[in-house]
DNA sequence: TTGTATGCGTTATCAA
DNA sequence: TTGATAACGCATACAA
């Protein structure tokens, strides 16, 4: 990459002159028009790109604030991202530019290829938002240079901001039990996620303990379409649907509502549906969706607090923060 | 902010030693255990924060890639953000870490306070995603140091990636005309946005030209709740609803569907509804929502291309890219 | 117009 | 065995 010195050499002037010209101060500094032209031409030929790092280093007015990376996989679903960023955006520290957010993508299963976690050259700390089981094992065995916080994951080694997924599953089972829905089923996103597995385990354990009947475990894509397809296939293959279905994500539940509508299955009369996340749209479906509230925004803020604490060395050890989920009762169940 | 040299002075060692210790290479460099302790203690006392800029500058393996800032207001709605980022995430240049994304928040109406647009110290270029009319006027009168691209805005001075909002409005009016819906209305988000105004103008012009009747222009918050409230108030205050309503955002249309459901108004029999954006959820509402497809993901990618071209000086002048919208016909209209 | 110092962390070389 | 010194990366302000 060409630097200001490379340009200076070619143009046979000093680096300072190049700097002036490239910053539009050429006239003010009375640099000859010809020289300016020459410099601009060479800069373009060499594809000059100002180094932000050097600029930042130089001008010390702009305080040295922590840089926080958000690592998410390329397949992270939309509703998580927007709620997560909303949670961060509302932090006053962020509004006041007291830390910076860098978006760092990585491919699911290839967290090991993100070198900056080892060099510490790109950010002061990282929030890992959606680690797959594989990536989780990897970092558990690694010694990273930068502090990290895991969102919705467990870890022996790192700070986490989490909920008790198992308890959530149990809660839902109990909720259905008390509503006298004994024949139930569950629809699960087909991805390798600790959070999802725990909810599923908890639910099935609860169903078992309470003497209910689990009629189906159905898998599908983590999306409206996945929920629609799963529901449609259930409708077509079964003569008797369960009394209630627990969808482990709201988008899937929304898709399922649509499928039920299509096939004339009345919610909640013929089938009760309960979702998970409490995404904004769930208040406005027809019927409105009973769902588990996951405090994404609050947890995102907690991730930032946690990480900044570690970066500032005011928080010593890896801490585990746990948040509560609760069932929002609406009309679908 | 404490530097490595500050620590060195206090600890009465050299900066190099401090660097080794803080990077965990103390043992390898055979620094005495006591010295290491002292250094770590002082670093903590002084609240040492490694300067990412200095680190980046030093290790030149990590290429100097363009840093792109996304400037969005604190009140930007969720659905835009997630689709926009999805569009960027899918760019192969981003996956390969050939540019970086910095999230830069600002307060609506206070774009003028974002100094980094003038200093160029924080990023090589910026995408301004949601400029209010006020902020737009400001930048139109300013001389910014970094290249910018405006998303969904017009400008005499800067590159833009836009759609023809007026034409969209006209298209919708014509669409309703051809469906023989002559008594119509429009529901508008109550915010100062060029994009929204243009759609509204186009629609009203079309309604006028085609000899249709515009029965209402209703305002509301840019959200499901805003749409719900607007619809509810329309239902309560009018004896005769329009035959068709155009909502300038999908979340509002979704909220309105919910209100109609609540009040027993059948869609599309009693009232036809058409939204705008084609957010993912609109395929799965009951009934599914007819809406205007806005190619957010594609436009986000175009913003990045445009900006990188300008940063690399391969694109000279401000260029205007225009994308097409089209009406996705589903069941609500 | 130019030369030089500066900002900060890393690291290769040198010294006791 | 323990540590110091100095050069380097890049842009820019300031004195010359």
């Amino acid at each position: 990459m060409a630097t200001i010195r490379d340009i200076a050499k070619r143009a046979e002037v000093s680096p300072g002159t190049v700097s002036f010209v490239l910053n539009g101060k050429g006239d003010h500094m009375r640099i000859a028009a010809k020289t300016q032209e020459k410099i601009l031409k060479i800069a373009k030929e060499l594809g000059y790109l100002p180094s932000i790092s050097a600029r930042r280093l130089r001008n010390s007015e702009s305080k040295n604030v922590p840089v926080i990376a958000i690592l998410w996989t390329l397949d992270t679903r939309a509703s998580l991202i927007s709620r997560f960023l909303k949670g961060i955006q509302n932090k006053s520290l962020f509004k006041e530019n007291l830390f910076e957010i860098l978006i760092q993508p990585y491919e699911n299963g290839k967290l090991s290829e993100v070198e900056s976690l080892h060099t510490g050259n790109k950010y002061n700390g990282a929030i890992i938002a959606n680690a797959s089981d594989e990536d989780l094992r990897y970092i558990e065995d690694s010694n990273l240079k930068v502090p990290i916080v895991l969102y919705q994951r467990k870890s022996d080694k790192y700070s986490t901001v989490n909920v008790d997924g198992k308890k959530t599953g149990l809660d839902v089972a109990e909720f259905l039990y008390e509503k006298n829905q004994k024949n139930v089923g569950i629809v699960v996103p087909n991805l390798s996620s600790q959070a999802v597995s725990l909810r599923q385990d908890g639910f099935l354990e609860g169903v078992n303990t309470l003497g209910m009947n689990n009629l189906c475990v159905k898998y599908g894509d983590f999306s409206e379409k996945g929920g629609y397809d799963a529901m449609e296939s259930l409708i077509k293959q079964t003569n008797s649907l369960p009394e209630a279905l627990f969808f482990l994500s709201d988008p899937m539940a929304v898709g399922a509502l649509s499928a039920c509508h299509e096939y004339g299955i009345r919610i909640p009369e013929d089938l009760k549906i309960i979702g998970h996340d409490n995404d904004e749209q769930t208040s406005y479906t027809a019927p409105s969706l009973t769902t588990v509230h996951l405090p994404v925004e609050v947890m995102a803020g907690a991730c930032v607090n946690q990480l900044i604490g570690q970066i500032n060395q005011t928080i010593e050890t890896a801490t585990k923060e746990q948040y509560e989920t609760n069932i929002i009762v609406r009309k679908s169940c």
Side-chain angles (χ1 to χ4, degrees), chain A residues 284-324:
Chain A
Y284 298 93
T285 52
S288 58
L289 191 64
T290 294
T291 187
V292 176
H293 175 69
L294 183 70
V296 178
E297 295 84 354
V298 173
M299 292 169 76
C303 285
V304 170
N305 283 344
Q306 189 56 239
L307 196 54
I308 290 193
Q310 282 188 59
I311 291 171
N312 290 342
Q313 306 167 63
T314 53
I315 297 178
E316 291 291 334
T317 56
T319 58
K320 323 288 174 193
E321 278 188 60
Q322 183 131 296
Y323 287 82
E324 294 292 320

mmCIF file of all heavy atoms in Angstrom, chain A residues 284-324:
data_model
loop_
_atom_site.group_PDB
_atom_site.id
_atom_site.type_symbol
_atom_site.label_atom_id
_atom_site.label_comp_id
_atom_site.label_asym_id
_atom_site.label_seq_id
_atom_site.Cartn_x
_atom_site.Cartn_y
_atom_site.Cartn_z
ATOM 1 N N TYR A 284 -48.556 -8.147 17.051
ATOM 2 C CA TYR A 284 -49.465 -7.713 15.983
ATOM 3 C C TYR A 284 -49.824 -8.802 14.992
ATOM 4 O O TYR A 284 -50.309 -8.536 13.921
ATOM 5 C CB TYR A 284 -48.859 -6.495 15.273
ATOM 6 C CG TYR A 284 -48.692 -5.344 16.218
ATOM 7 C CD1 TYR A 284 -47.497 -5.140 16.898
ATOM 8 C CD2 TYR A 284 -49.756 -4.484 16.481
ATOM 9 C CE1 TYR A 284 -47.357 -4.094 17.793
ATOM 10 C CE2 TYR A 284 -49.629 -3.438 17.373
ATOM 11 C CZ TYR A 284 -48.427 -3.252 18.032
ATOM 12 O OH TYR A 284 -48.304 -2.228 18.927
ATOM 13 N N THR A 285 -49.531 -10.037 15.345
ATOM 14 C CA THR A 285 -49.968 -11.125 14.491
ATOM 15 C C THR A 285 -51.447 -11.395 14.753
ATOM 16 O O THR A 285 -52.029 -10.855 15.687
ATOM 17 C CB THR A 285 -49.165 -12.396 14.795
ATOM 18 O OG1 THR A 285 -49.209 -12.647 16.201
ATOM 19 C CG2 THR A 285 -47.710 -12.243 14.377
ATOM 20 N N ALA A 286 -52.041 -12.256 13.917
ATOM 21 C CA ALA A 286 -53.452 -12.597 14.116
ATOM 22 C C ALA A 286 -53.554 -14.100 14.304
ATOM 23 O O ALA A 286 -53.326 -14.833 13.359
ATOM 24 C CB ALA A 286 -54.274 -12.163 12.906
ATOM 25 N N PRO A 287 -53.840 -14.586 15.471
ATOM 26 C CA PRO A 287 -53.976 -13.808 16.701
ATOM 27 C C PRO A 287 -52.606 -13.420 17.242
ATOM 28 O O PRO A 287 -51.610 -13.971 16.807
ATOM 29 C CB PRO A 287 -54.648 -14.810 17.648
ATOM 30 C CG PRO A 287 -54.130 -16.130 17.202
ATOM 31 C CD PRO A 287 -54.011 -16.031 15.708
ATOM 32 N N SER A 288 -52.590 -12.490 18.193
ATOM 33 C CA SER A 288 -51.310 -12.095 18.781
ATOM 34 C C SER A 288 -50.657 -13.308 19.426
ATOM 35 O O SER A 288 -51.330 -14.230 19.881
ATOM 36 C CB SER A 288 -51.522 -10.985 19.797
ATOM 37 O OG SER A 288 -52.405 -11.404 20.811
ATOM 38 N N LEU A 289 -49.340 -13.292 19.433
ATOM 39 C CA LEU A 289 -48.588 -14.495 19.777
ATOM 40 C C LEU A 289 -48.156 -14.520 21.243
ATOM 41 O O LEU A 289 -47.502 -13.599 21.726
ATOM 42 C CB LEU A 289 -47.353 -14.575 18.878
ATOM 43 C CG LEU A 289 -46.552 -15.868 18.872
ATOM 44 C CD1 LEU A 289 -47.379 -17.023 18.323
ATOM 45 C CD2 LEU A 289 -45.289 -15.690 18.049
ATOM 46 N N THR A 290 -48.521 -15.575 21.917
ATOM 47 C CA THR A 290 -47.962 -15.831 23.251
ATOM 48 C C THR A 290 -46.521 -16.282 23.048
ATOM 49 O O THR A 290 -46.243 -17.126 22.205
ATOM 50 C CB THR A 290 -48.764 -16.927 23.958
ATOM 51 O OG1 THR A 290 -50.091 -16.434 24.199
ATOM 52 C CG2 THR A 290 -48.115 -17.319 25.279
ATOM 53 N N THR A 291 -45.619 -15.703 23.817
ATOM 54 C CA THR A 291 -44.201 -15.993 23.553
ATOM 55 C C THR A 291 -43.363 -15.784 24.806
ATOM 56 O O THR A 291 -43.825 -15.202 25.784
ATOM 57 C CB THR A 291 -43.692 -15.097 22.401
ATOM 58 O OG1 THR A 291 -42.368 -15.497 22.039
ATOM 59 C CG2 THR A 291 -43.661 -13.638 22.813
ATOM 60 N N VAL A 292 -42.141 -16.270 24.747
ATOM 61 C CA VAL A 292 -41.211 -16.096 25.863
ATOM 62 C C VAL A 292 -40.389 -14.836 25.620
ATOM 63 O O VAL A 292 -39.742 -14.709 24.576
ATOM 64 C CB VAL A 292 -40.264 -17.305 25.979
ATOM 65 C CG1 VAL A 292 -39.240 -17.077 27.082
ATOM 66 C CG2 VAL A 292 -41.051 -18.580 26.224
ATOM 67 N N HIS A 293 -40.435 -13.930 26.558
ATOM 68 C CA HIS A 293 -39.657 -12.704 26.391
ATOM 69 C C HIS A 293 -38.190 -12.958 26.691
ATOM 70 O O HIS A 293 -37.823 -13.374 27.781
ATOM 71 C CB HIS A 293 -40.179 -11.602 27.323
ATOM 72 C CG HIS A 293 -39.343 -10.363 27.272
ATOM 73 N ND1 HIS A 293 -39.292 -9.549 26.163
ATOM 74 C CD2 HIS A 293 -38.503 -9.796 28.176
ATOM 75 C CE1 HIS A 293 -38.461 -8.540 26.388
ATOM 76 N NE2 HIS A 293 -37.971 -8.666 27.613
ATOM 77 N N LEU A 294 -37.366 -12.688 25.682
ATOM 78 C CA LEU A 294 -35.919 -12.762 25.855
ATOM 79 C C LEU A 294 -35.404 -11.324 25.864
ATOM 80 O O LEU A 294 -35.582 -10.594 24.890
ATOM 81 C CB LEU A 294 -35.318 -13.539 24.679
ATOM 82 C CG LEU A 294 -33.806 -13.776 24.712
ATOM 83 C CD1 LEU A 294 -33.445 -14.757 25.813
ATOM 84 C CD2 LEU A 294 -33.325 -14.317 23.363
ATOM 85 N N PRO A 295 -34.774 -10.902 26.946
ATOM 86 C CA PRO A 295 -34.386 -9.481 27.056
ATOM 87 C C PRO A 295 -33.130 -9.157 26.254
ATOM 88 O O PRO A 295 -32.095 -8.808 26.813
ATOM 89 C CB PRO A 295 -34.168 -9.294 28.562
ATOM 90 C CG PRO A 295 -33.775 -10.640 29.055
ATOM 91 C CD PRO A 295 -34.452 -11.654 28.166
ATOM 92 N N VAL A 296 -33.226 -9.268 24.949
ATOM 93 C CA VAL A 296 -32.064 -9.098 24.072
ATOM 94 C C VAL A 296 -31.389 -7.743 24.276
ATOM 95 O O VAL A 296 -30.172 -7.655 24.425
ATOM 96 C CB VAL A 296 -32.468 -9.244 22.584
ATOM 97 C CG1 VAL A 296 -31.269 -9.031 21.685
ATOM 98 C CG2 VAL A 296 -33.088 -10.598 22.328
ATOM 99 N N GLU A 297 -32.193 -6.689 24.289
ATOM 100 C CA GLU A 297 -31.630 -5.344 24.379
ATOM 101 C C GLU A 297 -30.854 -5.169 25.682
ATOM 102 O O GLU A 297 -29.739 -4.630 25.695
ATOM 103 C CB GLU A 297 -32.746 -4.291 24.289
ATOM 104 C CG GLU A 297 -33.465 -4.266 22.944
ATOM 105 C CD GLU A 297 -34.586 -5.297 22.845
ATOM 106 O OE1 GLU A 297 -34.738 -6.106 23.783
ATOM 107 O OE2 GLU A 297 -35.286 -5.306 21.809
ATOM 108 N N VAL A 298 -31.470 -5.615 26.762
ATOM 109 C CA VAL A 298 -30.815 -5.502 28.070
ATOM 110 C C VAL A 298 -29.523 -6.319 28.097
ATOM 111 O O VAL A 298 -28.482 -5.878 28.596
ATOM 112 C CB VAL A 298 -31.770 -5.994 29.182
ATOM 113 C CG1 VAL A 298 -31.054 -6.047 30.517
ATOM 114 C CG2 VAL A 298 -32.992 -5.094 29.248
ATOM 115 N N MET A 299 -29.586 -7.490 27.523
ATOM 116 C CA MET A 299 -28.413 -8.365 27.536
ATOM 117 C C MET A 299 -27.286 -7.779 26.671
ATOM 118 O O MET A 299 -26.105 -7.904 27.002
ATOM 119 C CB MET A 299 -28.791 -9.760 27.047
ATOM 120 C CG MET A 299 -29.705 -10.497 28.018
ATOM 121 S SD MET A 299 -30.408 -12.013 27.315
ATOM 122 C CE MET A 299 -29.000 -13.119 27.415
ATOM 123 N N ALA A 300 -27.664 -7.148 25.581
ATOM 124 C CA ALA A 300 -26.643 -6.518 24.737
ATOM 125 C C ALA A 300 -25.927 -5.428 25.525
ATOM 126 O O ALA A 300 -24.693 -5.326 25.500
ATOM 127 C CB ALA A 300 -27.281 -5.932 23.479
ATOM 128 N N GLY A 301 -26.700 -4.636 26.250
ATOM 129 C CA GLY A 301 -26.089 -3.603 27.090
ATOM 130 C C GLY A 301 -25.176 -4.220 28.130
ATOM 131 O O GLY A 301 -24.081 -3.714 28.408
ATOM 132 N N ALA A 302 -25.610 -5.337 28.686
ATOM 133 C CA ALA A 302 -24.801 -6.014 29.702
ATOM 134 C C ALA A 302 -23.489 -6.519 29.110
ATOM 135 O O ALA A 302 -22.445 -6.464 29.751
ATOM 136 C CB ALA A 302 -25.585 -7.165 30.318
ATOM 137 N N CYS A 303 -23.543 -7.019 27.880
ATOM 138 C CA CYS A 303 -22.320 -7.472 27.210
ATOM 139 C C CYS A 303 -21.311 -6.329 27.130
ATOM 140 O O CYS A 303 -20.125 -6.507 27.420
ATOM 141 C CB CYS A 303 -22.627 -7.969 25.801
ATOM 142 S SG CYS A 303 -23.406 -9.583 25.719
ATOM 143 N N VAL A 304 -21.801 -5.171 26.752
ATOM 144 C CA VAL A 304 -20.918 -4.022 26.631
ATOM 145 C C VAL A 304 -20.336 -3.634 27.988
ATOM 146 O O VAL A 304 -19.129 -3.427 28.125
ATOM 147 C CB VAL A 304 -21.662 -2.819 26.009
ATOM 148 C CG1 VAL A 304 -20.830 -1.562 26.118
ATOM 149 C CG2 VAL A 304 -21.992 -3.115 24.557
ATOM 150 N N ASN A 305 -21.179 -3.562 28.992
ATOM 151 C CA ASN A 305 -20.690 -3.219 30.327
ATOM 152 C C ASN A 305 -19.606 -4.171 30.782
ATOM 153 O O ASN A 305 -18.552 -3.776 31.273
ATOM 154 C CB ASN A 305 -21.829 -3.293 31.353
ATOM 155 C CG ASN A 305 -22.742 -2.103 31.264
ATOM 156 O OD1 ASN A 305 -22.389 -1.081 30.662
ATOM 157 N ND2 ASN A 305 -23.921 -2.222 31.835
ATOM 158 N N GLN A 306 -19.926 -5.416 30.626
ATOM 159 C CA GLN A 306 -19.026 -6.485 31.019
ATOM 160 C C GLN A 306 -17.666 -6.341 30.323
ATOM 161 O O GLN A 306 -16.615 -6.382 30.955
ATOM 162 C CB GLN A 306 -19.690 -7.803 30.591
ATOM 163 C CG GLN A 306 -19.060 -9.050 31.071
ATOM 164 C CD GLN A 306 -18.934 -9.091 32.562
ATOM 165 O OE1 GLN A 306 -17.818 -9.211 33.050
ATOM 166 N NE2 GLN A 306 -20.030 -8.970 33.283
ATOM 167 N N LEU A 307 -17.736 -6.104 29.032
ATOM 168 C CA LEU A 307 -16.517 -6.056 28.242
ATOM 169 C C LEU A 307 -15.698 -4.817 28.586
ATOM 170 O O LEU A 307 -14.476 -4.897 28.766
ATOM 171 C CB LEU A 307 -16.877 -6.052 26.756
ATOM 172 C CG LEU A 307 -15.755 -6.370 25.791
ATOM 173 C CD1 LEU A 307 -15.089 -7.675 26.150
ATOM 174 C CD2 LEU A 307 -16.292 -6.442 24.372
ATOM 175 N N ILE A 308 -16.368 -3.689 28.713
ATOM 176 C CA ILE A 308 -15.642 -2.465 29.046
ATOM 177 C C ILE A 308 -14.999 -2.593 30.422
ATOM 178 O O ILE A 308 -13.880 -2.145 30.650
ATOM 179 C CB ILE A 308 -16.583 -1.252 28.974
ATOM 180 C CG1 ILE A 308 -16.939 -1.003 27.504
ATOM 181 C CG2 ILE A 308 -15.942 -0.006 29.584
ATOM 182 C CD1 ILE A 308 -17.586 0.307 27.225
ATOM 183 N N GLY A 309 -15.706 -3.247 31.323
ATOM 184 C CA GLY A 309 -15.130 -3.495 32.637
ATOM 185 C C GLY A 309 -13.847 -4.301 32.547
ATOM 186 O O GLY A 309 -12.855 -3.998 33.206
ATOM 187 N N GLN A 310 -13.860 -5.294 31.709
ATOM 188 C CA GLN A 310 -12.655 -6.112 31.567
ATOM 189 C C GLN A 310 -11.535 -5.355 30.870
ATOM 190 O O GLN A 310 -10.374 -5.465 31.233
ATOM 191 C CB GLN A 310 -12.973 -7.374 30.765
ATOM 192 C CG GLN A 310 -13.684 -8.431 31.568
ATOM 193 C CD GLN A 310 -13.799 -9.719 30.777
ATOM 194 O OE1 GLN A 310 -12.821 -10.311 30.367
ATOM 195 N NE2 GLN A 310 -15.030 -10.158 30.581
ATOM 196 N N ILE A 311 -11.899 -4.569 29.876
ATOM 197 C CA ILE A 311 -10.885 -3.803 29.162
ATOM 198 C C ILE A 311 -10.239 -2.789 30.096
ATOM 199 O O ILE A 311 -9.032 -2.588 30.091
ATOM 200 C CB ILE A 311 -11.515 -3.094 27.939
ATOM 201 C CG1 ILE A 311 -11.915 -4.122 26.877
ATOM 202 C CG2 ILE A 311 -10.560 -2.066 27.353
ATOM 203 C CD1 ILE A 311 -12.737 -3.549 25.742
ATOM 204 N N ASN A 312 -11.062 -2.165 30.927
ATOM 205 C CA ASN A 312 -10.539 -1.190 31.891
ATOM 206 C C ASN A 312 -9.903 -1.853 33.092
ATOM 207 O O ASN A 312 -9.469 -1.185 34.028
ATOM 208 C CB ASN A 312 -11.654 -0.265 32.381
ATOM 209 C CG ASN A 312 -12.121 0.666 31.300
ATOM 210 O OD1 ASN A 312 -11.431 0.860 30.307
ATOM 211 N ND2 ASN A 312 -13.289 1.243 31.493
ATOM 212 N N GLN A 313 -9.940 -3.135 33.096
ATOM 213 C CA GLN A 313 -9.348 -3.897 34.189
ATOM 214 C C GLN A 313 -10.007 -3.628 35.534
ATOM 215 O O GLN A 313 -9.414 -3.794 36.583
ATOM 216 C CB GLN A 313 -7.844 -3.614 34.296
ATOM 217 C CG GLN A 313 -7.107 -3.833 32.988
ATOM 218 C CD GLN A 313 -5.706 -3.241 33.038
ATOM 219 O OE1 GLN A 313 -4.889 -3.670 33.823
ATOM 220 N NE2 GLN A 313 -5.468 -2.255 32.195
ATOM 221 N N THR A 314 -11.257 -3.178 35.477
ATOM 222 C CA THR A 314 -11.970 -2.999 36.746
ATOM 223 C C THR A 314 -12.717 -4.278 37.104
ATOM 224 O O THR A 314 -13.111 -4.483 38.231
ATOM 225 C CB THR A 314 -12.975 -1.834 36.663
ATOM 226 O OG1 THR A 314 -13.819 -2.047 35.519
ATOM 227 C CG2 THR A 314 -12.259 -0.518 36.493
ATOM 228 N N ILE A 315 -12.951 -5.126 36.102
ATOM 229 C CA ILE A 315 -13.532 -6.431 36.372
ATOM 230 C C ILE A 315 -12.429 -7.457 36.160
ATOM 231 O O ILE A 315 -11.822 -7.503 35.095
ATOM 232 C CB ILE A 315 -14.718 -6.722 35.427
ATOM 233 C CG1 ILE A 315 -15.824 -5.698 35.665
ATOM 234 C CG2 ILE A 315 -15.239 -8.135 35.657
ATOM 235 C CD1 ILE A 315 -17.013 -5.870 34.751
ATOM 236 N N GLU A 316 -12.197 -8.246 37.157
ATOM 237 C CA GLU A 316 -11.044 -9.147 37.106
ATOM 238 C C GLU A 316 -11.345 -10.428 36.364
ATOM 239 O O GLU A 316 -10.841 -10.704 35.297
ATOM 240 C CB GLU A 316 -10.608 -9.507 38.533
ATOM 241 C CG GLU A 316 -10.005 -8.356 39.303
ATOM 242 C CD GLU A 316 -8.640 -7.955 38.722
ATOM 243 O OE1 GLU A 316 -7.984 -8.815 38.120
ATOM 244 O OE2 GLU A 316 -8.259 -6.777 38.892
ATOM 245 N N THR A 317 -12.215 -11.192 36.971
ATOM 246 C CA THR A 317 -12.394 -12.556 36.492
ATOM 247 C C THR A 317 -13.580 -12.642 35.551
ATOM 248 O O THR A 317 -14.367 -11.720 35.433
ATOM 249 C CB THR A 317 -12.667 -13.473 37.690
ATOM 250 O OG1 THR A 317 -13.790 -12.944 38.389
ATOM 251 C CG2 THR A 317 -11.474 -13.504 38.617
ATOM 252 N N ALA A 318 -13.674 -13.741 34.882
ATOM 253 C CA ALA A 318 -14.829 -13.992 34.028
ATOM 254 C C ALA A 318 -16.077 -14.071 34.899
ATOM 255 O O ALA A 318 -16.131 -14.848 35.848
ATOM 256 C CB ALA A 318 -14.643 -15.290 33.265
ATOM 257 N N THR A 319 -17.059 -13.254 34.613
ATOM 258 C CA THR A 319 -18.280 -13.288 35.404
ATOM 259 C C THR A 319 -19.433 -13.788 34.551
ATOM 260 O O THR A 319 -19.447 -13.618 33.344
ATOM 261 C CB THR A 319 -18.633 -11.897 35.943
ATOM 262 O OG1 THR A 319 -18.780 -11.009 34.831
ATOM 263 C CG2 THR A 319 -17.546 -11.375 36.849
ATOM 264 N N LYS A 320 -20.368 -14.394 35.212
ATOM 265 C CA LYS A 320 -21.543 -14.928 34.517
ATOM 266 C C LYS A 320 -22.747 -14.101 34.928
ATOM 267 O O LYS A 320 -23.112 -14.080 36.110
ATOM 268 C CB LYS A 320 -21.781 -16.389 34.906
ATOM 269 C CG LYS A 320 -20.515 -17.217 35.117
ATOM 270 C CD LYS A 320 -19.799 -17.518 33.835
ATOM 271 C CE LYS A 320 -18.468 -18.205 34.110
ATOM 272 N NZ LYS A 320 -17.596 -18.258 32.942
ATOM 273 N N GLU A 321 -23.348 -13.445 33.961
ATOM 274 C CA GLU A 321 -24.582 -12.723 34.285
ATOM 275 C C GLU A 321 -25.752 -13.512 33.754
ATOM 276 O O GLU A 321 -25.749 -13.955 32.617
ATOM 277 C CB GLU A 321 -24.586 -11.336 33.640
ATOM 278 C CG GLU A 321 -23.806 -10.313 34.428
ATOM 279 C CD GLU A 321 -23.992 -8.911 33.855
ATOM 280 O OE1 GLU A 321 -25.142 -8.444 33.807
ATOM 281 O OE2 GLU A 321 -22.994 -8.316 33.454
ATOM 282 N N GLN A 322 -26.770 -13.642 34.571
ATOM 283 C CA GLN A 322 -27.932 -14.408 34.141
ATOM 284 C C GLN A 322 -29.192 -13.544 34.196
ATOM 285 O O GLN A 322 -29.454 -12.895 35.198
ATOM 286 C CB GLN A 322 -28.086 -15.628 35.040
ATOM 287 C CG GLN A 322 -29.229 -16.511 34.629
ATOM 288 C CD GLN A 322 -28.784 -17.970 34.557
ATOM 289 O OE1 GLN A 322 -27.940 -18.346 33.766
ATOM 290 N NE2 GLN A 322 -29.349 -18.774 35.406
ATOM 291 N N TYR A 323 -29.954 -13.570 33.148
ATOM 292 C CA TYR A 323 -31.184 -12.784 33.089
ATOM 293 C C TYR A 323 -32.398 -13.702 33.076
ATOM 294 O O TYR A 323 -32.312 -14.886 32.737
ATOM 295 C CB TYR A 323 -31.166 -11.856 31.876
ATOM 296 C CG TYR A 323 -30.198 -10.720 32.092
ATOM 297 C CD1 TYR A 323 -28.835 -10.884 31.868
ATOM 298 C CD2 TYR A 323 -30.636 -9.507 32.600
ATOM 299 C CE1 TYR A 323 -27.944 -9.859 32.112
ATOM 300 C CE2 TYR A 323 -29.761 -8.477 32.847
ATOM 301 C CZ TYR A 323 -28.413 -8.658 32.609
ATOM 302 O OH TYR A 323 -27.536 -7.641 32.872
ATOM 303 N N GLU A 324 -33.521 -13.119 33.427
ATOM 304 C CA GLU A 324 -34.760 -13.903 33.505
ATOM 305 C C GLU A 324 -35.560 -13.806 32.212
ATOM 306 O O GLU A 324 -35.662 -12.738 31.609
ATOM 307 C CB GLU A 324 -35.640 -13.357 34.647
ATOM 308 C CG GLU A 324 -35.063 -13.553 36.025
ATOM 309 C CD GLU A 324 -35.026 -15.022 36.439
ATOM 310 O OE1 GLU A 324 -36.002 -15.739 36.143
ATOM 311 O OE2 GLU A 324 -34.006 -15.449 37.037
#
